Amino acid sequence: MRLFDAHCHLQDRRIAAVAPQLIRVALDSGVQRFVVNGVSEEDWHIVKQMGDDYPSIVPCFGLHPWFIVERSPNWFNSLKEFLVDTPAAAVGEIGLHKGAHGKLTDFSDQVDVFKQQLELAKVLEKPVSVHCVGAFAELLDIMSQNFHQSWISLKVDLHTGWKLAFKFTNLSCTGPFKAGVILHSYIGSAELVPRLAKLGSYFSFSGHLTSMKPEKAKKVVQSVPKDRILIETDAPDGLLRLKTDHLFSIPDVPITELEEQSGGSVPQPASLSREGLNHPANIHSVLNYVATLLEMPEELLAELSFQNASRLFSYPGSKVGCDG
């Protein structure tokens, strides 16, 4: 089986030091691609470097709602520059959050930041990975509405490498989003699926799905069109809440080995506990759970989700071919 992890965070400081080992183990297990999502200005350069270093990594840049308070005045221009300078990149992780963590930021501020990034993804014709907790009504409204903005951006001519300046005036950001909107770790209702799918949404399932009662989870996954199903790990988060003997643990690496890998600069203490953290190779457990809910053979779901992700991430400049 070949697998495509549609959303993870290998740059996360909790696992960044062992990312090379995690990638190797996952590749050996059949995971051919990893979509690594940046969440703030502080980690975009790390994600870009990972994308440069590993053919298997699809980099993404975005400002997550948890980190909008920390953004710089130039954050949006910086985001555009990262995306223009990295043709292989998509947009994400962006979104809306009304949970406990989201209360630390003003929701109207979240909406403003989200709209700007959603519009940018549409302008650049890139898929966008969206985080949504407790705000699906607002998400649906935003994806369905018209909002306009005039701004100047840069685009790279992929044939010549030259950067071309151009202006968008009265740009409409109405759906459907033809390049695709990935609703990552989807745990919304089954009833919303048809309306979100009509607007261009894909539905990515992770271990977070096990926070739902099995009956509800089954209803949700079975409501999704087969050509819109993705699977992910959301590593280092998203660990399945089910008892299983098949989960990979995060390896502890001796400090000397970390120093050799990092040129003497260790990104985190080697003694840091990694218990409870997720690993991209654990996508096999997600595959097993979702396939069970769909009453579908694992091999069929693996290939189906791989083809869906390959099609979604096969935009101009991407590393991914639409044939997988």
Side-chain angles (χ1 to χ4, degrees):
M1 292 186 295
R2 52 182 186 168
L3 294 163
F4 200 129
D5 189 345
H7 188 106
C8 65
H9 302 277
L10 290 169
Q11 86 286 5
D12 189 291
R13 66 180 182 82
R14 293 169 292 172
I15 60 171
V18 291
Q21 292 94 322
L22 302 187
I23 292 169
R24 183 166 60 247
V25 171
L27 287 171
D28 289 345
S29 77
V31 184
Q32 294 189 7
R33 303 240 178 231
F34 313 81
V35 181
V36 176
N37 287 263
V39 295
S40 72
E41 292 171 88
E42 291 187 356
D43 72 4
W44 294 342
H45 70 286
I46 303 173
V47 173
K48 180 175 174 56
Q49 188 62 55
M50 284 186 165
D52 291 343
D53 291 345
Y54 294 96
S56 56
I57 286 180
V58 177
C60 298
F61 308 113
L63 186 57
H64 190 287
W66 291 0
F67 302 100
I68 64 172
V69 173
E70 305 164 12
R71 71 189 186 277
S72 72
N74 196 48
W75 75 271
F76 190 58
N77 287 330
S78 179
L79 176 61
K80 288 193 288 184
E81 289 174 7
F82 267 96
L83 288 165
V84 168
D85 290 341
T86 316
V91 180
E93 176 179 357
I94 72 173
L96 303 169
H97 191 109
K98 278 192 169 182
H101 204 296
K103 291 179 181 177
L104 301 176
T105 60
D106 181 78
F107 190 70
S108 63
D109 202 17
Q110 288 189 39
V111 169
D112 181 59
V113 170
F114 177 65
K115 281 185 174 181
Q116 291 183 67
Q117 296 181 95
L118 193 63
E119 180 182 27
L120 179 60
K122 191 160 192 180
V123 169
L124 297 178
E125 299 179 344
K126 301 275 192 175
V128 54
S129 188
V130 171
H131 166 108
C132 187
V133 173
F136 282 100
E138 291 85 354
L139 174 66
L140 187 60
D141 179 61
I142 290 169
M143 288 180 63
S144 303
Q145 69 185 225
N146 288 320
F147 48 96
H148 308 277
Q149 185 176 347
S150 299
W151 50 283
I152 297 175
S153 183
L154 289 172
K155 190 172 184 179
V156 173
D157 184 320
L158 298 177
H159 298 292
T160 66
W162 287 96
K163 294 179 181 178
L164 308 175
F166 57 101
K167 186 175 182 179
F168 296 90
T169 304
N170 293 327
L171 175 71
S172 172
C173 201
T174 310
F177 293 82
K178 294 181 180 179
V181 173
I182 304 109
L183 300 179
H184 110 84
S185 290
Y186 185 73
I187 52 172
S189 71
E191 289 73 22
L192 283 175
V193 167
R195 296 172 68 187
L196 289 165
K198 189 175 181 180
L199 291 167
S201 296
Y202 287 69
F203 302 82
S204 187
F205 297 110
S206 70
H208 291 295
L209 190 63
T210 55
S211 66
M212 285 182 160
K213 292 182 178 179
E215 299 80 13
K216 185 176 181 181
K218 185 172 185 175
K219 183 179 179 182
V220 170
V221 299
Q222 291 190 350
S223 71
V224 177
K226 296 298 186 290
D227 64 346
R228 299 296 181 88
I229 293 176
L230 305 173
I231 58 173
E232 62 170 87
T233 59
D234 195 25
D237 297 306
L239 200 64
L240 272 77
R241 300 182 184 182
L242 300 176
K243 291 184 178 180
T244 175
D245 297 327
H246 303 294
L247 292 177
F248 289 85
S249 60
I250 302 296
D252 288 318
V253 181
I255 188 108
T256 52
E257 186 174 338
L258 286 179
E259 288 176 339
E260 290 175 0
Q261 294 173 0
S262 60
S265 176
V266 182
Q268 63 184 23
S271 60
L272 181 67
S273 172
R274 298 189 175 94
E275 185 177 353
L277 296 182
N278 203 4
H279 184 318
N282 287 328
I283 198 168
H284 288 275
S285 296
V286 178
L287 174 71
N288 174 265
Y289 185 61
V290 176
T292 299
L293 296 175
L294 287 170
E295 300 175 355
M296 176 186 294
E298 287 186 35
E299 293 79 8
L300 181 57
L301 178 58
E303 186 59 22
L304 174 69
S305 59
F306 188 93
Q307 290 290 346
N308 289 345
S310 296
R311 182 176 64 254
L312 180 62
F313 288 98
S314 63
Y315 43 83
S318 172
K319 303 175 180 182
V320 182
C322 60
D323 62 354

